[in-house]
Amino acid sequence: MAYFTVKLFSEALQRNTCFEMFIPNDRAQTNSDFSKRKMKALFLLHGYTGSAGNWVPEYLAEKYNFAIIMPNGENSFWLDGISTGHKFCTFVGEELVNYIRKTFGLAETPDETYIMGLSMGGFGALHTAFAYPETFGKTSALSSALIMYEIEGMKPGSENGVANYAYYHECFGDLDKLGESDNNPEKLIKKLKEQEANIPEIFMSCGTEDFLLENNRRFHNFLNENGIEHRYFESKGGHDMTFWNEYAIKFTELMFK
């Protein structure tokens, strides 16, 4: 196997950035059906205050023959912020995918290109897949920080215990109009449905002791009400790596098997 740290200049971010990459190129199970197919790619998005790193067991990448690409998204919610150099959705959905295609010959079709995230990265995995439905074939989101329900209409000078108005305004734009913004995954789903466009296969999970549970249930109900096929799981657990490790394994096997 090979583990890279790649430094590149990003036009979307207007600076040098790095991503991590794991390729199981020397230990794939040569006698399995998975080793005989073209290697697939999983883009893995970290959470708030996190950084690029792998939390998918490497034996699964070896077993199912897929590379793992781990970008740095800072605390961006993986969105195109309002400031110059904060286009994190564009960076992942366009620039990084194209770099992986050109440099490594991977992620060339939706069936070869999946995205997964936890917490803020879960939001990013859903939003990025819906923003680029012709790029990502499957998306899985663990304990997604679907906070658009909480911050819509937030006013200057206010905060919610995690961050203040200025931060959310930078990430999401006009919070008074968030319901109709493309930074809202619900809005993107509605647009795809109206256009009769492809919608990536969706996997979601949240722990029953997680403070984000109601937001995840609300989005799950939204998908049901709009007839969007998806797989949603709840089980005992909080907002922690114990729960995320469980579903990283479960979703990886569901996506790649």
Side-chain angles (χ1 to χ4, degrees):
M1 58 183 171
Y3 205 109
F4 301 91
T5 298
V6 181
K7 181 178 180 180
L8 73 161
F9 181 83
S10 166
E11 293 290 344
L13 304 181
Q14 285 295 293
R15 60 186 180 277
N16 288 319
T17 188
C18 294
F19 69 90
E20 308 287 318
M21 188 169 182
F22 172 76
I23 302 179
N25 58 342
D26 60 352
R27 290 175 60 184
Q29 295 184 359
T30 56
N31 295 323
S32 73
D33 291 337
F34 307 111
S35 65
K36 298 172 185 176
R37 71 186 181 192
K38 184 178 179 182
M39 185 178 290
K40 300 192 178 190
L42 177 66
F43 289 77
L44 198 62
L45 307 186
H46 65 74
Y48 185 73
T49 73
S51 60
N54 185 26
W55 35 274
V56 171
E58 293 177 356
Y59 76 86
L60 290 173
E62 295 170 350
K63 179 178 180 180
Y64 295 117
N65 192 29
F66 65 89
I68 305 172
I69 299 98
M70 300 153 275
N72 276 300
E74 301 177 14
N75 288 338
S76 65
F77 264 84
W78 302 97
L79 294 170
D80 286 355
I82 63 176
S83 301
T84 300
H86 281 193
K87 292 185 176 181
F88 287 90
C89 182
T90 299
F91 170 64
V92 174
E94 295 182 25
E95 193 171 18
L96 184 56
V97 169
N98 288 334
Y99 184 91
I100 295 298
R101 288 172 174 172
K102 181 178 180 180
T103 308
F104 298 97
L106 300 171
E108 294 183 324
T109 69
D111 187 53
E112 300 170 0
T113 313
Y114 306 156
I115 188 167
M116 176 188 286
L118 58 79
S119 193
M120 182 189 80
F123 175 96
L126 294 171
H127 178 271
T128 307
F130 303 153
Y132 296 95
E134 300 306 317
T135 297
F136 298 96
K138 299 180 184 181
T139 179
S140 58
L142 289 60
S143 309
S144 303
L146 294 158
I147 61 166
M148 63 277 189
Y149 302 121
E150 301 174 24
I151 65 172
E152 183 176 5
M154 180 182 275
K155 301 304 179 185
S158 60
E159 56 89 32
N160 66 352
V162 176
N164 60 14
Y165 167 87
Y167 165 76
Y168 290 118
H169 179 255
E170 167 59 39
C171 293
F172 289 86
D174 189 342
L175 300 182
D176 286 333
K177 300 178 180 178
L178 181 52
E180 295 303 312
S181 167
D182 282 351
N183 287 333
N184 183 344
E186 285 193 359
K187 178 64 175 180
L188 294 180
I189 284 287
K190 289 177 181 177
K191 288 174 66 173
L192 294 175
K193 186 178 178 182
E194 290 169 359
Q195 297 165 0
E196 298 183 348
N198 174 69
I199 296 177
E201 191 173 349
I202 303 166
F203 301 87
M204 293 179 61
S205 66
C206 195
T208 52
E209 286 69 52
D210 196 315
F211 69 97
L212 292 168
L213 178 60
E214 292 308 316
N215 288 351
N216 279 263
R217 285 176 172 173
R218 184 169 173 178
F219 191 71
H220 163 56
N221 291 334
F222 164 81
L223 294 175
N224 280 335
E225 291 164 1
N226 284 271
I228 307 301
E229 292 187 12
H230 64 291
R231 301 187 69 175
Y232 176 77
F233 300 84
E234 286 183 12
S235 62
K236 184 175 178 59
H239 201 73
D240 54 47
M241 285 306 305
T242 300
F243 182 85
W244 298 330
N245 286 336
E246 175 187 351
Y247 279 92
I249 294 171
K250 179 175 290 189
F251 285 170
T252 298
E253 293 190 326
L254 286 173
M255 289 192 297
F256 289 97
K257 192 171 183 178

